[in-house]
Amino acid sequence: MGERTAHTGIPERYRHAVIPHIMVDDAAAAIDFYRRAFGAREDFRIDAPGGGILHAEITIGRSALMLGDASVEEAEAGSFAAPASLGGGTSVALHVFVPDVDGLAKRAEAAGAEILQPPTDMFHGDRTVVLKDPQGHMWVFLTHLEDVTEEELRRRLATAG
């Protein structure tokens, strides 16, 4: 038996990140929205025996995202919930760096996203848009503009009004 490393058995796309796994009320519609709004690529899906999507994976930019129908009983016997079933709120925002945040914001809004903060140059050195998708998930898309030292970040925060 050969020497094992920390990466043995972990697919490359999962090695350097926490992979979000979101639940939605209509995974097929969500995948279609993410394709139109964010340029997502569907990598694969597993249909549930009784209908719906048990598990799917998409890629947005270089980021992997797992998703499935919250209503599918096989999805952990109901332990997952879509934002709508939680009163429309969510405790997670999904951050993705993209080359053109302004273009993505226009595309996402045209596809049905709600823009909560339009593209804005932020104190942390990124141009940022905050939006909510039709399923109720919060997204923060960023285009990196400049590297900001921790000292400069604190200075900018202190002078922000």
Side-chain angles (χ1 to χ4, degrees):
M1 194 164 171
E3 183 178 321
R4 294 184 62 88
T5 68
H7 295 300
T8 300
I10 301 173
E12 177 64 31
R13 74 188 254 128
Y14 305 136
R15 288 185 186 168
H16 306 289
V18 171
I19 308 301
H21 188 154
I22 62 173
M23 301 310 289
V24 297
D25 287 325
D26 184 343
I31 292 168
D32 181 59
F33 170 80
Y34 297 143
R35 184 180 296 117
R36 289 181 293 110
F38 308 151
R41 179 188 74 229
E42 182 177 336
D43 298 316
F44 72 88
R45 75 169 67 184
I46 301 169
D47 292 323
I53 296 175
L54 179 62
H55 181 83
E57 293 189 16
I58 62 174
T59 300
I60 300 170
R62 295 178 54 207
S63 300
L65 176 77
M66 299 177 181
L67 69 149
D69 280 303
S71 60
V72 175
E73 287 185 30
E74 293 87 351
E76 298 295 324
S79 61
F80 290 116
S85 68
L86 303 172
T90 183
S91 64
V92 175
L94 304 159
H95 286 67
V96 181
F97 280 88
V98 296
D100 177 14
V101 76
D102 293 274
L104 183 129
K106 288 177 188 167
R107 180 176 173 172
E109 187 172 34
E114 178 185 355
I115 304 295
L116 302 176
Q117 174 199 299
T120 305
D121 292 350
M122 299 298 290
F123 65 92
H124 46 75
D126 302 306
R127 186 159 177 80
T128 306
V129 64
V130 179
L131 58 87
K132 184 184 284 191
D133 71 27
Q135 295 286 336
H137 291 284
M138 301 290 295
W139 293 81
V140 179
F141 287 95
L142 312 97
T143 296
H144 189 65
L145 301 176
E146 62 175 320
D147 293 331
V148 180
T149 65
E150 185 176 341
E151 179 181 318
E152 177 63 11
L153 183 69
R154 291 182 189 283
R155 187 195 69 72
R156 290 179 183 184
L157 269 172
T159 60

